Structure formats: C-alpha cells, structure tokens
Amino acid sequence: MDAHRKLTYAQLCTEAEERFGADAMTWAFRCPHCGDVASANDFIAANTSPNFVGLVCVGRHLGALDRNVKKYTGRGCDWSAGGLIRGPWEVVMPPRDGLPERSVWSFPLADAPVPAEVSA
Ligand SMILES: [Zn+2]
C-alpha cells in the first residue's frame, strides 16, 4: 500500500521534470492498484484526454469499466485516485480562476526510467 503524501502542484512538476525530463507528455504515474505505468501519451493512444493521467488507471479507458465484460483482461484496471480509497498522493493546487487553493488526488509518480545501458 502506498503511503499518503501531500505536496504542492509546483513540487509535483519539479519532481516529474527531474525524473522524466521537460516534456510533460512523458511524465508517468503508477496505478497503486495494478501497478500499470502510464503517461499522457498512453491516454492519447487510448483515444481519450491526456488530462486523465495520474487521476485514473489507463484501463478505465481501455474497457475495464465495460459492464458487459465479465472479467477484464486488458492493460490496467478500473482504479481511480478519486475513488473510495483516494490518492495516495494529495496535490495542493494553487488558487485559480477565482477558486481557492484546493487538493486533488493523484497516483504516485512512476520511478524514473532506467537509462539505457552504455556499451563499453
Ligand atoms: Zn490500474
């Protein structure tokens, strides 16, 4: 079980950039339920909005919510960071558009990609 962690949106962006580089489309989050690692690019590939990255498992957009399927066997699962078991990361969003500071729930960032082995 992943521990709850509270951080600001700016801290999340800084940490993601350190792990994955400046291209936010490659920032990857790990589903705390099934372990699937997905970036915004994976959500686009699943024909949905990249804005879902870190909020739900990519499986939700690949058929895991299809009630006609008895047992989903595709990639990912139906987990959501905003479900009954939230987070585990709590991201504090700055005030915007007249809205006060508020928290949103997020999957944890995935581990940094392992650099390709340098041949000697
Ligand atoms: Zn999942």
Side-chain angles (χ1 to χ4, degrees):
M1 197 69 180
D2 292 282
H4 171 253
R5 179 178 175 205
K6 189 172 184 174
L7 69 170
T8 66
Y9 181 69
Q11 287 171 322
L12 175 69
C13 291
T14 299
E15 203 169 306
E17 192 167 338
E18 285 169 2
R19 287 188 199 189
F20 303 106
D23 181 5
M25 297 303 286
T26 65
W27 296 357
F29 293 80
R30 178 178 46 78
C31 174
H33 189 65
C34 73
D36 183 79
V37 170
S39 70
N41 285 324
D42 292 305
F43 281 79
I44 290 171
N47 291 315
T48 189
S49 169
N51 294 334
F52 287 117
V53 70
L55 303 178
V56 299
C57 188
V58 73
R60 283 174 84 95
H61 296 281
L62 294 173
L65 291 179
D66 186 347
R67 298 293 175 223
N68 296 318
V69 178
K70 277 196 165 69
K71 177 138 178 56
Y72 176 69
T73 56
R75 177 185 172 184
C77 69
D78 65 354
W79 206 250
S80 165
L84 192 61
I85 300 169
R86 297 187 294 187
W89 283 14
E90 180 180 357
V91 181
V92 180
M93 306 298 288
R96 199 180 73 179
D97 300 332
L99 294 170
E101 177 182 286
R102 67 199 191 287
S103 289
V104 297
W105 297 95
S106 163
F107 290 174
L109 283 172
D111 292 335
V114 178
E117 208 166 303
V118 180
S119 51

Coordinates of all heavy atoms in Angstrom, one line a residue, residues 12-82:
L12 N 5.2 18.8 -7.4 CA 5.0 17.6 -8.3 C 5.6 17.8 -9.7 O 6.3 16.9 -10.2 CB 3.5 17.4 -8.5 CG 3.1 16.3 -9.5 CD1 3.5 14.9 -8.9 CD2 1.6 16.3 -9.8
C13 N 5.5 19.0 -10.2 CA 6.0 19.3 -11.6 C 7.6 19.3 -11.5 O 8.2 18.7 -12.4 CB 5.6 20.7 -12.1 SG 3.8 20.7 -12.5
T14 N 8.1 19.8 -10.5 CA 9.6 19.8 -10.3 C 10.1 18.4 -10.3 O 11.1 18.0 -11.0 CB 10.0 20.6 -9.1 OG1 9.6 21.9 -9.2 CG2 11.5 20.5 -8.9
E15 N 9.5 17.6 -9.5 CA 9.9 16.2 -9.3 C 9.7 15.4 -10.6 O 10.6 14.6 -11.0 CB 9.1 15.5 -8.2 CG 9.7 14.4 -7.5 CD 9.0 13.9 -6.3 OE1 8.9 14.8 -5.3 OE2 8.7 12.8 -6.2
A16 N 8.6 15.6 -11.3 CA 8.3 14.9 -12.5 C 9.4 15.3 -13.6 O 9.9 14.4 -14.3 CB 6.9 15.2 -13.0
E17 N 9.7 16.6 -13.6 CA 10.7 17.0 -14.6 C 12.1 16.4 -14.3 O 12.8 16.0 -15.3 CB 10.8 18.5 -14.7 CG 11.5 19.1 -15.8 CD 11.3 20.6 -16.1 OE1 10.3 21.1 -15.6 OE2 12.2 21.1 -16.7
E18 N 12.4 16.3 -13.0 CA 13.7 15.7 -12.7 C 13.7 14.2 -13.1 O 14.8 13.7 -13.5 CB 13.9 15.8 -11.2 CG 14.3 17.2 -10.7 CD 14.3 17.3 -9.2 OE1 14.0 16.3 -8.5 OE2 14.5 18.4 -8.7
R19 N 12.6 13.5 -13.0 CA 12.6 12.1 -13.3 C 12.5 11.8 -14.8 O 13.0 10.9 -15.4 CB 11.4 11.4 -12.7 CG 11.6 11.2 -11.2 CD 10.5 10.4 -10.6 NE 10.4 10.6 -9.2 CZ 9.7 9.9 -8.4 NH1 8.9 8.9 -8.8 NH2 9.6 10.1 -7.1
F20 N 11.6 12.6 -15.5 CA 11.3 12.3 -16.9 C 11.7 13.3 -17.9 O 11.5 13.1 -19.1 CB 9.7 12.1 -17.0 CG 9.2 11.0 -16.0 CD1 8.5 11.4 -14.9 CD2 9.5 9.7 -16.2 CE1 8.1 10.4 -14.0 CE2 9.0 8.7 -15.4 CZ 8.3 9.1 -14.2
G21 N 12.2 14.5 -17.5 CA 12.5 15.5 -18.5 C 11.4 16.5 -18.6 O 10.4 16.5 -18.0
A22 N 11.7 17.5 -19.5 CA 10.8 18.7 -19.6 C 9.5 18.4 -20.3 O 8.5 19.1 -20.1 CB 11.5 19.8 -20.3
D23 N 9.4 17.3 -21.1 CA 8.2 17.0 -21.9 C 7.1 16.4 -21.0 O 7.2 15.2 -20.6 CB 8.5 16.1 -23.0 CG 7.3 15.8 -23.9 OD1 6.2 16.3 -23.6 OD2 7.4 14.9 -24.8
A24 N 6.2 17.1 -20.6 CA 5.1 16.7 -19.6 C 4.3 15.5 -20.2 O 3.7 14.7 -19.4 CB 4.2 17.8 -19.2
M25 N 4.3 15.3 -21.5 CA 3.6 14.2 -22.1 C 4.3 12.9 -21.7 O 3.6 11.8 -21.8 CB 3.6 14.3 -23.6 CG 2.8 15.6 -24.1 SD 1.1 15.7 -23.5 CE 0.3 14.4 -24.5
T26 N 5.5 12.9 -21.2 CA 6.2 11.6 -20.9 C 6.2 11.4 -19.4 O 6.7 10.4 -18.9 CB 7.7 11.7 -21.4 OG1 8.4 12.7 -20.7 CG2 7.7 11.9 -22.9
W27 N 5.7 12.3 -18.6 CA 5.6 12.1 -17.2 C 4.7 11.0 -16.9 O 3.5 11.0 -17.3 CB 5.1 13.4 -16.5 CG 6.1 14.6 -16.6 CD1 7.3 14.6 -17.3 CD2 5.8 15.9 -16.2 NE1 7.8 15.9 -17.2 CE2 6.9 16.7 -16.6 CE3 4.8 16.5 -15.4 CZ2 7.0 18.0 -16.3 CZ3 4.9 17.9 -15.1 CH2 6.0 18.6 -15.5
A28 N 5.2 10.0 -16.1 CA 4.4 8.8 -15.9 C 4.0 8.6 -14.4 O 4.8 9.0 -13.5 CB 5.3 7.6 -16.4
F29 N 2.8 8.1 -14.3 CA 2.3 7.8 -13.0 C 2.0 6.3 -12.9 O 1.7 5.6 -13.9 CB 1.0 8.5 -12.8 CG 1.2 10.0 -12.7 CD1 1.3 10.8 -13.9 CD2 1.2 10.7 -11.5 CE1 1.5 12.2 -13.8 CE2 1.4 12.1 -11.4 CZ 1.5 12.8 -12.6
R30 N 2.1 5.7 -11.6 CA 1.9 4.3 -11.4 C 0.6 4.1 -10.7 O 0.3 4.7 -9.7 CB 3.1 3.7 -10.6 CG 2.9 2.3 -10.2 CD 4.1 1.7 -9.4 NE 4.5 2.6 -8.4 CZ 3.8 2.7 -7.2 NH1 2.8 1.9 -6.9 NH2 4.2 3.5 -6.2
C31 N -0.2 3.2 -11.3 CA -1.5 2.9 -10.7 C -1.2 2.1 -9.4 O -0.5 1.1 -9.4 CB -2.3 2.0 -11.6 SG -3.8 1.4 -10.9
P32 N -1.7 2.6 -8.2 CA -1.4 1.9 -7.0 C -2.2 0.6 -6.8 O -1.9 -0.2 -5.9 CB -1.9 2.9 -5.9 CG -3.0 3.7 -6.6 CD -2.6 3.8 -8.1
H33 N -3.1 0.3 -7.7 CA -3.9 -0.9 -7.6 C -3.3 -2.0 -8.4 O -3.0 -3.1 -7.9 CB -5.3 -0.7 -8.1 CG -6.3 -1.8 -7.8 ND1 -6.5 -2.2 -6.5 CD2 -6.9 -2.6 -8.6 CE1 -7.4 -3.3 -6.6 NE2 -7.6 -3.5 -7.8
C34 N -3.0 -1.8 -9.7 CA -2.5 -2.8 -10.6 C -1.0 -2.7 -11.0 O -0.4 -3.6 -11.5 CB -3.3 -3.0 -11.9 SG -3.1 -1.6 -13.0
G35 N -0.4 -1.5 -10.7 CA 1.0 -1.3 -11.0 C 1.3 -0.8 -12.4 O 2.4 -0.5 -12.7
D36 N 0.2 -0.6 -13.2 CA 0.5 -0.1 -14.6 C 1.1 1.3 -14.5 O 0.7 2.1 -13.7 CB -0.8 -0.1 -15.4 CG -0.6 0.3 -16.8 OD1 -0.2 -0.5 -17.6 OD2 -0.9 1.5 -17.1
V37 N 2.1 1.5 -15.4 CA 2.7 2.8 -15.5 C 2.2 3.5 -16.8 O 2.4 2.9 -17.9 CB 4.2 2.7 -15.5 CG1 4.9 4.0 -15.8 CG2 4.7 2.2 -14.1
A38 N 1.7 4.7 -16.7 CA 1.1 5.3 -17.9 C 1.5 6.8 -17.9 O 1.5 7.5 -16.9 CB -0.4 5.1 -17.9
S39 N 1.7 7.3 -19.1 CA 2.0 8.7 -19.3 C 0.8 9.3 -20.1 O -0.1 8.6 -20.5 CB 3.3 8.9 -20.1 OG 3.1 8.5 -21.4
A40 N 0.8 10.6 -20.3 CA -0.2 11.3 -21.1 C -0.3 10.7 -22.5 O -1.4 10.5 -23.0 CB 0.0 12.8 -21.1
N41 N 0.9 10.3 -23.0 CA 0.9 9.7 -24.3 C 0.1 8.4 -24.4 O -0.6 8.1 -25.4 CB 2.3 9.4 -24.8 CG 3.0 10.7 -25.2 OD1 2.4 11.6 -25.8 ND2 4.3 10.8 -24.9
D42 N 0.1 7.7 -23.3 CA -0.7 6.4 -23.3 C -2.2 6.7 -23.3 O -3.0 5.9 -23.8 CB -0.4 5.6 -22.0 CG 1.1 5.1 -22.0 OD1 1.4 4.4 -23.0 OD2 1.8 5.4 -21.1
F43 N -2.6 7.8 -22.7 CA -4.0 8.2 -22.7 C -4.5 8.6 -24.1 O -5.6 8.3 -24.5 CB -4.4 9.2 -21.6 CG -4.5 8.6 -20.2 CD1 -3.3 8.3 -19.5 CD2 -5.7 8.3 -19.7 CE1 -3.4 7.7 -18.3 CE2 -5.8 7.7 -18.4 CZ -4.6 7.4 -17.7
I44 N -3.6 9.3 -24.8 CA -3.9 9.7 -26.1 C -4.0 8.5 -27.0 O -4.9 8.4 -27.8 CB -2.8 10.7 -26.7 CG1 -2.9 12.0 -25.9 CG2 -2.9 10.9 -28.2 CD1 -1.8 13.0 -26.2
A45 N -3.1 7.5 -26.8 CA -3.1 6.3 -27.6 C -4.4 5.5 -27.3 O -4.9 4.7 -28.1 CB -1.9 5.4 -27.2
A46 N -5.0 5.7 -26.1 CA -6.3 5.1 -25.7 C -7.5 5.9 -26.2 O -8.6 5.7 -25.7 CB -6.3 4.8 -24.2
N47 N -7.2 6.9 -27.0 CA -8.3 7.8 -27.6 C -9.1 8.6 -26.5 O -10.3 8.7 -26.6 CB -9.3 6.9 -28.4 CG -8.6 6.4 -29.7 OD1 -7.9 7.2 -30.4 ND2 -8.8 5.2 -30.0
T48 N -8.3 9.1 -25.5 CA -9.0 9.9 -24.5 C -8.1 11.1 -24.2 O -7.0 11.2 -24.7 CB -9.4 9.0 -23.3 OG1 -10.2 9.8 -22.5 CG2 -8.2 8.5 -22.6
S49 N -8.6 11.9 -23.2 CA -7.8 13.1 -22.9 C -6.6 12.8 -22.1 O -6.6 12.0 -21.1 CB -8.7 14.0 -22.1 OG -8.0 15.0 -21.5
P50 N -5.5 13.4 -22.4 CA -4.3 13.2 -21.6 C -4.4 13.8 -20.2 O -3.6 13.5 -19.3 CB -3.2 14.0 -22.4 CG -3.9 15.0 -23.2 CD -5.3 14.3 -23.5
N51 N -5.4 14.6 -20.0 CA -5.6 15.2 -18.7 C -6.0 14.1 -17.6 O -6.0 14.5 -16.4 CB -6.7 16.3 -18.7 CG -6.3 17.4 -19.6 OD1 -5.1 17.7 -19.7 ND2 -7.2 18.1 -20.2
F52 N -6.3 12.9 -18.0 CA -6.7 11.9 -17.1 C -5.4 11.2 -16.4 O -5.5 10.5 -15.5 CB -7.5 10.8 -17.7 CG -8.9 11.2 -18.0 CD1 -9.4 11.2 -19.3 CD2 -9.8 11.5 -17.0 CE1 -10.7 11.5 -19.6 CE2 -11.1 11.8 -17.3 CZ -11.5 11.9 -18.6
V53 N -4.2 11.6 -17.0 CA -3.0 10.9 -16.5 C -2.8 11.2 -15.0 O -3.0 12.3 -14.5 CB -1.8 11.3 -17.3 CG1 -1.4 12.8 -17.1 CG2 -0.6 10.4 -17.0
G54 N -2.5 10.2 -14.2 CA -2.3 10.3 -12.8 C -3.6 10.3 -12.0 O -3.5 10.2 -10.8
L55 N -4.7 10.5 -12.7 CA -6.0 10.5 -11.9 C -6.7 9.2 -12.0 O -7.4 8.8 -11.0 CB -6.9 11.6 -12.5 CG -6.3 13.0 -12.5 CD1 -7.3 14.0 -13.2 CD2 -5.9 13.5 -11.1
V56 N -6.6 8.5 -13.1 CA -7.3 7.2 -13.2 C -6.3 6.2 -13.9 O -5.4 6.7 -14.6 CB -8.6 7.2 -14.0 CG1 -9.6 8.2 -13.4 CG2 -8.3 7.7 -15.5
C57 N -6.6 4.9 -13.8 CA -5.8 3.9 -14.5 C -6.2 3.9 -15.9 O -7.4 4.1 -16.3 CB -6.0 2.6 -13.8 SG -4.9 1.3 -14.5
V58 N -5.2 3.8 -16.8 CA -5.5 3.8 -18.3 C -6.5 2.7 -18.6 O -7.2 2.8 -19.6 CB -4.2 3.7 -19.1 CG1 -3.6 2.3 -19.0 CG2 -4.4 4.2 -20.5
G59 N -6.6 1.7 -17.8 CA -7.5 0.6 -18.1 C -9.0 1.1 -18.1 O -9.8 0.5 -18.8
R60 N -9.3 2.1 -17.4 CA -10.6 2.7 -17.4 C -11.0 3.1 -18.8 O -12.2 3.2 -19.1 CB -10.8 3.9 -16.5 CG -10.9 3.5 -15.0 CD -10.8 4.7 -14.1 NE -12.1 5.3 -13.9 CZ -13.0 5.1 -12.9 NH1 -12.6 4.2 -12.0 NH2 -14.1 5.7 -12.8
H61 N -10.0 3.5 -19.6 CA -10.3 4.0 -21.0 C -10.0 2.9 -22.0 O -10.1 3.1 -23.2 CB -9.5 5.2 -21.3 CG -9.9 6.4 -20.4 ND1 -11.0 7.1 -20.6 CD2 -9.4 6.8 -19.2 CE1 -11.2 8.0 -19.6 NE2 -10.2 7.8 -18.8
L62 N -9.7 1.7 -21.5 CA -9.4 0.6 -22.5 C -10.4 -0.5 -22.3 O -10.2 -1.6 -22.8 CB -8.0 0.1 -22.2 CG -6.8 1.0 -22.6 CD1 -5.5 0.5 -22.2 CD2 -6.8 1.3 -24.1
G63 N -11.5 -0.3 -21.5 CA -12.5 -1.3 -21.4 C -12.8 -1.9 -20.0 O -13.7 -2.6 -19.9
A64 N -12.0 -1.5 -19.0 CA -12.1 -2.0 -17.7 C -13.5 -1.7 -17.1 O -13.9 -2.4 -16.1 CB -11.0 -1.6 -16.8
L65 N -14.1 -0.6 -17.6 CA -15.4 -0.2 -17.0 C -16.6 -0.8 -17.8 O -17.7 -0.6 -17.4 CB -15.6 1.3 -17.0 CG -14.6 2.1 -16.0 CD1 -14.9 3.6 -16.2 CD2 -14.9 1.6 -14.6
D66 N -16.3 -1.6 -18.8 CA -17.4 -2.2 -19.6 C -18.1 -3.3 -18.8 O -17.5 -4.3 -18.6 CB -16.8 -2.7 -20.9 CG -17.8 -3.2 -21.9 OD1 -19.0 -3.4 -21.4 OD2 -17.5 -3.5 -23.0
R67 N -19.3 -3.0 -18.5 CA -20.0 -3.9 -17.6 C -20.4 -5.2 -18.3 O -20.8 -6.2 -17.7 CB -21.3 -3.3 -17.0 CG -21.0 -2.1 -16.2 CD -20.3 -2.5 -14.9 NE -19.9 -1.3 -14.1 CZ -18.7 -1.2 -13.5 NH1 -17.8 -2.1 -13.6 NH2 -18.4 -0.1 -12.8
N68 N -20.3 -5.2 -19.7 CA -20.6 -6.4 -20.4 C -19.5 -7.4 -20.4 O -19.7 -8.5 -20.8 CB -21.0 -6.0 -21.9 CG -22.2 -5.2 -21.9 OD1 -23.2 -5.4 -21.2 ND2 -22.2 -4.1 -22.8
V69 N -18.3 -6.9 -20.0 CA -17.1 -7.8 -19.9 C -17.1 -8.4 -18.5 O -17.0 -7.7 -17.5 CB -15.8 -7.1 -20.2 CG1 -14.6 -8.0 -20.1 CG2 -15.9 -6.4 -21.6
K70 N -17.2 -9.7 -18.4 CA -17.3 -10.4 -17.1 C -15.9 -10.2 -16.4 O -15.9 -9.8 -15.2 CB -17.6 -11.9 -17.3 CG -19.0 -12.1 -17.4 CD -19.3 -13.6 -17.2 CE -20.8 -13.9 -17.0 NZ -21.6 -13.8 -18.1
K71 N -14.9 -10.5 -17.0 CA -13.6 -10.3 -16.4 C -12.6 -9.6 -17.4 O -12.3 -10.1 -18.4 CB -13.0 -11.7 -16.0 CG -11.6 -11.6 -15.4 CD -11.4 -12.5 -14.2 CE -10.0 -12.4 -13.6 NZ -9.6 -11.1 -13.2
Y72 N -12.3 -8.3 -17.0 CA -11.4 -7.5 -17.9 C -10.0 -8.1 -17.9 O -9.4 -8.4 -16.8 CB -11.4 -6.1 -17.4 CG -10.5 -5.2 -18.1 CD1 -10.8 -4.8 -19.4 CD2 -9.3 -4.7 -17.5 CE1 -9.9 -3.9 -20.1 CE2 -8.5 -3.8 -18.2 CZ -8.8 -3.5 -19.5 OH -7.9 -2.6 -20.2
T73 N -9.4 -8.3 -19.1 CA -8.1 -8.9 -19.1 C -7.1 -8.0 -19.9 O -6.0 -8.4 -20.2 CB -8.1 -10.3 -19.8 OG1 -8.7 -10.1 -21.1 CG2 -8.9 -11.3 -19.0
G74 N -7.5 -6.8 -20.2 CA -6.6 -5.9 -20.9 C -5.7 -5.2 -20.0 O -5.5 -5.5 -18.8
R75 N -5.0 -4.2 -20.6 CA -4.0 -3.4 -19.8 C -4.7 -2.6 -18.7 O -5.7 -2.0 -18.9 CB -3.2 -2.5 -20.7 CG -2.2 -1.6 -20.0 CD -1.6 -0.6 -21.0 NE -0.8 0.3 -20.2 CZ -0.2 1.3 -20.7 NH1 -0.2 1.6 -22.0 NH2 0.5 2.2 -19.9
G76 N -4.1 -2.6 -17.5 CA -4.5 -1.7 -16.5 C -5.8 -2.2 -15.8 O -6.1 -3.4 -15.9
C77 N -6.5 -1.4 -15.0 CA -7.6 -1.7 -14.3 C -8.6 -0.6 -14.2 O -8.4 0.4 -14.9 CB -7.2 -2.2 -12.9 SG -6.6 -0.9 -11.8
D78 N -9.6 -0.6 -13.3 CA -10.6 0.4 -13.3 C -10.4 1.4 -12.1 O -11.3 2.2 -11.7 CB -12.0 -0.2 -13.1 CG -12.2 -0.9 -11.8 OD1 -11.2 -1.1 -11.1 OD2 -13.3 -1.4 -11.6
W79 N -9.2 1.4 -11.6 CA -8.9 2.3 -10.4 C -8.9 3.8 -10.7 O -8.6 4.2 -11.8 CB -7.5 1.9 -9.9 CG -7.3 2.1 -8.4 CD1 -6.5 3.1 -7.8 CD2 -7.8 1.4 -7.3 NE1 -6.5 3.0 -6.5 CE2 -7.3 2.0 -6.1 CE3 -8.7 0.3 -7.2 CZ2 -7.7 1.5 -4.9 CZ3 -9.1 -0.2 -6.0 CH2 -8.6 0.4 -4.8
S80 N -9.3 4.5 -9.7 CA -9.3 6.0 -9.8 C -8.7 6.6 -8.5 O -9.0 6.1 -7.4 CB -10.8 6.5 -9.9 OG -10.8 7.9 -9.7
A81 N -7.9 7.6 -8.7 CA -7.4 8.3 -7.5 C -8.4 9.0 -6.7 O -8.2 9.3 -5.5 CB -6.3 9.3 -7.9
G82 N -9.6 9.2 -7.3 CA -10.7 9.9 -6.6 C -11.7 9.0 -6.1 O -12.8 9.4 -5.7

